[in-house]
Amino acid sequence: MDYLLAILIIVYVALMILVGYIAWKHTSNSEDYLVAGRQSNSYIMALSYGATFISTAAIVGFGGLAGTNGLGILWLVFLNIAVGIFIAFVIFGKPTRKMGQYLNALTFPEFLSKRFNSKFIQYFSGLLIFLTMPIYAASVLIGAARFVETTINIDFNLAILILAIIIGFYVIFGGIKGVMYTDALQGTIMFLGMLILLISIYSMLGGVTHAHELLSSMAPLFPESAKVTGATGWTTFPTTGSPFWWNLVSSIILGVGIGAIAQPQLAVRFMTVKSNKELNRAVLVGGIFIFVTTFTAYVVGALSNVYFYQTTGQIAIQAAGGNVDKIIPTFINSAMPKWFTYIFLLTLLSAAMSTISTQFHVQGSSIAHDVYCAIKNRSSLRITRIGILIAIIIAVVLAYILPGNIVATGTSIFFGICAVAFLPVYLCALFWKRTTKLGAIAGIVSGTVSSLFCLLFTYKKVAAGLGICKFLTGKAVLFSGMPWPYVDPMVIALPIAFIFTIGVSLLTKNSKEEEIAIEKMFKAEEGA
């Protein structure tokens, strides 16, 4: 490691610790620790939301997938902005802020619990987040550690430990304020780093048009194993209905694009802002941020094939040694000048740390505030901090034992589970007074159970790897006929969760007391 890089990293880490210390000094109670005192401004909220959303999973994992799947993944950019920003902020954000404040909810599970007057929802949701988020957190840790390993030759396992310790410091002590303040700084670094990268790759390959023409001409070099499953090239969409198409559309584009709207770590951001005006202002900042960061990652991943073929005679996945998660790091270290490699290291560190900090905070608060403290009927900052520490330890252990090429897959799985478990109930909580407590419980449980069933028994990418279906039935998956082995669990489980939420609500009724409370809640929301 040379002196310039050492200085940059020291300054960066010092800034994170300083911001975390400032947040700690301004955190005095559970409301400060969990929802930033409900006083965040638009810039901090938008960059915190965007930096949490866009992690190393998006840059390294999905950028790498663009290197193997092609530019069809750009549809995910559209959904990230249309669903993850505009629909989330304008349609979901405003009522979530108002209702969350009325209910005095401090976490997403508590929000749903108080809306439906059900402690079971809080316990179940808190446990679900605590048990499923670690694979997502570990995936993001792995993405950052891989780049650190490739760039400055620090041992992968040591890189994971160092990152976890630094992030843990300001999350445990600073709470959501520490997370959001550092997110805003990290988001600014991410935006500038990705913008420079986008301009650089097009300049390197002779401009936008020429670069894409070169990539189109490489279609014959697309791996034969992928062509057999329906792939047609890096600039064309795969054959409709093929296994390649199902994986790209159902798992990557829809799974992550739609799943974003019901992410607990994102939804809680709406409860941190001062007013609807702040949310309106945040839309533009968040939209531009998401576009630049995701568009750059996917375009660079795909166009890296052109660079590697011109310089080594290999396509990207070959140059990266067969590891999708190494395509972006390998390209940066091979193609870009050393000074930018250092800038991009800070960009990736920012992407990883901003997302992981939120994951640790949400996972820890879920088990501590939504399970332990809810059962004990009391709130405790000390218990919440212990919960976060436990979350950090679990994520680090998983990062050590998870296999390669896990970054994008781990992200997709978590986003999908959150979508089926929470989206129907979250939507009905905000906009349908008739939703009953039993309907909400049925929706969350049915969505979770059906999603897990598909992951274990029908979705080949996961089921075959886990081997549970093989052990119990003698078959890799229950249904081998097309398209079932390649259909993402969300495509099956989300309609089931909606049917149960609506169906059970129509068949049951809330108590008179609950109906009165709901009417007051919605009137208060309309008048806020």
Side-chain angles (χ1 to χ4, degrees), residues 317-492:
I317 190 64
Q318 295 169 336
N323 189 336
V324 173
D325 296 340
K326 286 190 173 183
I327 289 178
I328 295 293
T330 303
F331 170 77
I332 296 297
N333 284 283
S334 301
M336 304 300 290
K338 181 168 285 190
W339 67 266
F340 181 78
T341 303
Y342 297 162
I343 296 296
F344 197 74
L345 173 62
L346 295 185
T347 300
L348 268 193
L349 285 176
S350 297
M353 293 171 72
S354 59
T355 300
I356 298 169
S357 60
T358 297
Q359 292 167 332
F360 289 165
H361 184 269
V362 170
Q363 189 185 349
S365 62
S366 293
I367 193 63
H369 182 81
D370 293 314
V371 179
Y372 181 84
C373 290
I375 291 173
K376 296 291 185 179
N377 197 30
R378 64 187 179 91
S379 182
S380 169
L381 280 181
R382 183 176 65 86
I383 295 298
T384 303
R385 285 177 169 135
I386 292 173
I388 292 172
L389 179 61
I390 293 171
I392 293 171
I393 293 171
I394 293 173
V396 169
V397 172
L398 278 179
Y400 286 144
I401 63 177
L402 285 174
N405 300 326
I406 189 63
V407 176
T409 302
T411 302
S412 298
I413 289 173
F414 180 75
F415 271 57
I417 290 176
C418 283
V420 299
F422 299 130
L423 182 55
V425 176
Y426 184 28
L427 182 66
C428 291
L430 297 177
F431 303 111
W432 191 34
K433 299 178 186 178
R434 179 66 178 80
T435 315
T436 65
K437 178 195 301 184
L438 291 177
I441 292 173
I444 292 175
V445 174
S446 65
T448 303
V449 171
S450 55
S451 179
L452 292 176
F453 176 84
C454 291
L455 285 169
L456 296 176
F457 294 101
T458 69
Y459 187 46
K460 188 175 181 179
K461 182 185 289 186
V462 177
L466 292 175
I468 295 175
C469 185
K470 180 76 172 179
F471 176 76
L472 294 176
T473 67
K475 298 187 294 184
V477 290
L478 288 180
F479 312 113
S480 56
M482 280 294 295
W484 302 113
Y486 306 98
V487 178
D488 190 85
M490 190 195 76
V491 175
I492 299 170

Side-chain angles (χ1 to χ4, degrees), residues 137-393:
S139 298
V140 178
L141 258 181
I142 289 170
R146 285 297 180 201
F147 191 78
V148 171
E149 175 192 39
T150 306
T151 305
I152 55 180
N153 296 318
I154 289 181
D155 179 72
F156 173 72
N157 294 324
L158 180 60
I160 287 176
L161 190 59
I162 292 172
L163 286 170
I165 290 173
I166 295 171
I167 298 167
F169 171 81
Y170 64 78
V171 176
I172 290 173
F173 291 102
I176 195 68
K177 285 188 176 182
V179 171
M180 294 183 73
Y181 292 176
T182 53
D183 281 354
L185 176 58
Q186 290 160 340
T188 303
I189 295 172
M190 288 169 62
F191 180 84
L192 294 174
M194 296 303 283
L195 188 60
I196 293 171
L197 179 59
L198 181 64
I199 295 170
S200 298
I201 193 167
Y202 279 130
S203 176
M204 184 187 307
L205 298 179
V208 176
T209 302
H210 186 60
H212 286 273
E213 287 175 348
L214 290 173
L215 185 60
S216 296
S217 68
M218 289 178 60
L221 299 173
F222 213 89
E224 289 299 325
S225 58
K227 289 182 180 179
V228 170
T229 62
T232 58
W234 282 284
T235 58
T236 54
F237 219 61
T239 304
T240 303
S242 65
F244 200 95
W245 183 91
W246 275 106
N247 179 64
L248 176 63
V249 174
S250 70
S251 295
I252 299 173
I253 296 176
L254 292 180
V256 177
I258 295 177
I261 208 165
Q263 293 294 297
Q265 72 274 21
L266 299 179
V268 75
R269 292 293 187 279
F270 303 136
M271 294 191 281
T272 66
V273 293
K274 293 185 288 187
S275 65
N276 284 346
K277 288 182 180 179
E278 299 296 336
L279 277 175
N280 291 335
R281 293 170 185 154
V283 170
L284 180 60
V285 177
I288 294 173
F289 177 87
I290 295 293
F291 173 77
V292 169
T293 50
T294 56
F295 182 81
T296 298
Y298 306 158
V299 165
V300 170
L303 289 178
S304 68
N305 286 283
V306 177
Y307 168 80
F308 286 123
Y309 188 68
Q310 289 179 343
T311 57
T312 68
Q314 298 176 308
I315 60 174
I317 190 64
Q318 295 169 336
N323 189 336
V324 173
D325 296 340
K326 286 190 173 183
I327 289 178
I328 295 293
T330 303
F331 170 77
I332 296 297
N333 284 283
S334 301
M336 304 300 290
K338 181 168 285 190
W339 67 266
F340 181 78
T341 303
Y342 297 162
I343 296 296
F344 197 74
L345 173 62
L346 295 185
T347 300
L348 268 193
L349 285 176
S350 297
M353 293 171 72
S354 59
T355 300
I356 298 169
S357 60
T358 297
Q359 292 167 332
F360 289 165
H361 184 269
V362 170
Q363 189 185 349
S365 62
S366 293
I367 193 63
H369 182 81
D370 293 314
V371 179
Y372 181 84
C373 290
I375 291 173
K376 296 291 185 179
N377 197 30
R378 64 187 179 91
S379 182
S380 169
L381 280 181
R382 183 176 65 86
I383 295 298
T384 303
R385 285 177 169 135
I386 292 173
I388 292 172
L389 179 61
I390 293 171
I392 293 171
I393 293 171

